[in-house]
Amino acid sequence: MAALIQAAAAKDFPAEIAVVISNRPDAGGLERAALSGIPALTIDSKPFGKDRAAFEAALEVVLDQHKIDLICLAGFMRLFTAEFVQRWYGRMLNIHPSLLPLFPGLDPHGQALRAGVKISGATVHFVIPETDAGPILMQGAVAVRDDDTPQTLAARILKIEHRIYPEALRLLASGLIQLDGDTCKTTGFSGAEDTLISPAIA
């Protein structure tokens, strides 16, 4: 969230962070948003219990009040109903710390290390009813080291997350990303110029 706020502060950034909403009143991002002059609101999910639809109805009221076009999830651990997700299809982004479709769900770094992969990373994707799925807008990768722990790998991938989430939002808000069925196409982009090989070879 902080990376998105920082990027959006640039005069030429094509999106505005209009409001920050948390379902937890103790979320640290609320203070960060307030310090940046962004409305920061809590819709506490506890009183709604398991009634996700009622929580989402309260959320929709706030989204409508602020005339929201896009939702960017960041550390939001509450599941949405399929109806809410479908209503916002193509307009709700999430970031996950793995190279999806690999290692969805909890403990992606531990999953990556147990699988013995040599490259991991982060993925910005559109949200669909299935968890950590949906069309991929952007990915960034890091090499996995033999001495990595879930914590050290997470720290390196977090730096990638901070780079690709604002960039994915910039491309989407600029109209440069289009949904083509279940995949995203980026206008004027021919593919990465560099190749990452891990372990490094001579």
Side-chain angles (χ1 to χ4, degrees):
M1 184 210 69
L4 293 175
I5 289 174
Q6 181 177 354
K11 291 182 179 180
D12 61 346
F13 196 80
E16 173 192 0
I17 310 298
V19 64
V20 170
I21 305 169
S22 175
N23 68 313
R24 294 175 47 191
D26 60 344
L30 294 170
E31 182 179 2
R32 173 68 175 84
L35 290 173
S36 300
I38 299 170
L41 308 173
T42 300
I43 303 175
D44 194 341
S45 56
K46 284 186 179 180
F48 295 96
K50 295 182 179 180
D51 191 346
R52 290 188 288 164
F55 169 79
E56 291 164 2
L59 176 60
E60 286 277 12
V61 170
V62 176
L63 296 174
D64 289 343
Q65 287 174 345
H66 290 269
K67 298 180 172 58
I68 299 303
D69 296 315
L70 293 170
I71 298 174
C72 295
L73 302 178
F76 190 80
M77 302 301 290
R78 187 177 175 91
L79 294 176
F80 289 116
T81 63
E83 291 77 15
F84 182 86
V85 170
Q86 289 163 356
R87 194 177 310 126
W88 284 90
Y89 180 67
R91 298 186 296 144
M92 181 160 53
L93 305 181
N94 188 36
I95 189 161
H96 182 74
S98 78
L99 295 176
L100 293 173
L102 292 175
F103 316 130
L106 299 176
D107 191 28
H109 308 302
Q111 291 185 63
L113 294 176
R114 288 190 293 272
V117 298
K118 303 304 181 185
I119 295 170
S120 191
T123 303
V124 180
H125 63 95
F126 284 119
V127 177
I128 63 173
E130 292 74 25
T131 302
D132 296 328
I136 292 170
L137 287 82
M138 185 173 286
Q139 293 182 301
V142 301
V144 179
R145 300 169 182 165
D146 288 343
D147 61 350
D148 263 328
T149 66
Q151 293 74 28
T152 60
L153 182 58
R156 288 204 311 286
I157 290 177
L158 184 61
K159 294 179 181 179
I160 292 291
E161 294 181 62
H162 289 170
R163 290 174 58 188
I164 68 172
Y165 209 173
E167 185 62 14
L169 176 58
R170 184 186 69 80
L171 291 175
L172 180 63
S174 298
L176 298 177
I177 292 179
Q178 302 294 329
L179 274 168
D180 183 5
D182 293 330
T183 62
C184 291
K185 305 296 185 183
T186 308
T187 302
F189 180 73
S190 59
E193 297 179 357
D194 298 324
T195 300
L196 173 60
I197 297 175
S198 178
I201 58 176

